[in-house]
Amino acid sequence: MKTWRQRGIYGLMSLLLLALAGCGFHLQTGSTVPAKLQGMRVSGSGPSGGALATAVHRELQRDGNFSRADGPVLQIDNAYVSQRIISISPSSGVALEFLDTLHAQFSVMDHQKKAILPVQSLLVENSFSYNSGNPLATNEQQIRMERLLMEQGARQILRRVLNSPVVRQSGG
């Protein structure tokens, strides 16, 4: 009886592993940053440049890339967040929904200031609703939404940098 139970458990585990492998699941093993970009530093300018650069730096560290003084520089320029009202309450005239947009430009330079990746534009949008019954929560919600916007912008920048044909062609 015990052997049938053990075989059943092994069979289920095997099926689970096959299912996970089939859907693309893999354990993180090392950095996905190409050798040419290892040690990449991040620099930002503009009203939101510091927050966006910090978010990118955090994502790079999570991926095992730690900046070096002689590493390439991911330069984020003119980063700012704009906000637009997209929904107003017909009864009270109070704004109910906002659209936050992160604007920035980014490029990658080697340590000799030679362009590895030319300047590209970034545009990330998020909407959020306003609860007029709890205005203090809305301030906290705004902070969370801006943090989320920076994290999404950081992931989009890194995805575009790491998957750029220019970076992939130049090899490691």
Side-chain angles (χ1 to χ4, degrees):
M1 277 282 252
K2 211 172 199 183
T3 57
W4 284 104
R5 177 180 265 175
Q6 286 175 338
R7 287 182 185 170
I9 290 172
Y10 287 129
L12 283 173
M13 294 299 287
S14 298
L15 284 173
L16 179 63
L17 287 172
L18 282 173
L20 286 173
C23 74
F25 174 82
H26 66 281
L27 294 174
Q28 183 141 355
T29 54
S31 176
T32 57
V33 178
K36 183 172 189 150
L37 297 180
Q38 284 291 322
M40 185 162 48
R41 296 174 288 145
V42 185
S43 177
S45 71
S48 298
L52 184 55
T54 300
V56 171
H57 180 73
R58 213 176 5 252
E59 288 292 323
L60 282 168
Q61 282 187 324
R62 216 174 273 145
D63 193 32
N65 180 75
F66 297 95
S67 60
R68 295 188 320 250
D70 64 340
V73 177
L74 171 58
Q75 181 64 43
I76 300 169
D77 292 313
N78 307 319
Y80 67 95
V81 175
S82 63
Q83 188 176 74
R84 200 173 69 205
I85 297 171
I86 56 176
S87 175
I88 297 175
S89 168
S91 59
S92 66
V94 174
L96 296 176
E97 193 174 12
F98 296 90
L99 179 68
D100 285 348
T101 306
L102 171 62
H103 308 262
Q105 295 176 322
F106 63 94
S107 61
V108 179
M109 307 290 225
D110 66 13
H111 66 280
Q112 298 168 338
K113 305 266 189 229
K114 182 180 170 197
I116 295 174
L117 183 68
V119 175
Q120 297 189 17
S121 295
L122 173 73
L123 186 73
V124 180
E125 295 181 326
N126 260 343
S127 63
F128 75 95
S129 300
Y130 173 73
N131 178 356
S132 60
N134 191 356
L136 291 177
T138 303
N139 291 336
E140 199 171 294
Q141 183 182 17
Q142 174 66 27
I143 292 167
R144 270 195 315 268
M145 290 305 297
E146 191 163 321
R147 189 176 304 131
L148 177 64
L149 199 59
M150 295 302 154
E151 290 169 1
Q152 289 174 337
R155 284 191 295 272
Q156 191 176 119
I157 287 172
L158 287 175
R159 191 170 32 253
R160 288 170 58 185
V161 167
L162 299 178
N163 293 321
S164 166
V166 174
V167 170
R168 298 178 122 221
Q169 280 176 358
S170 59

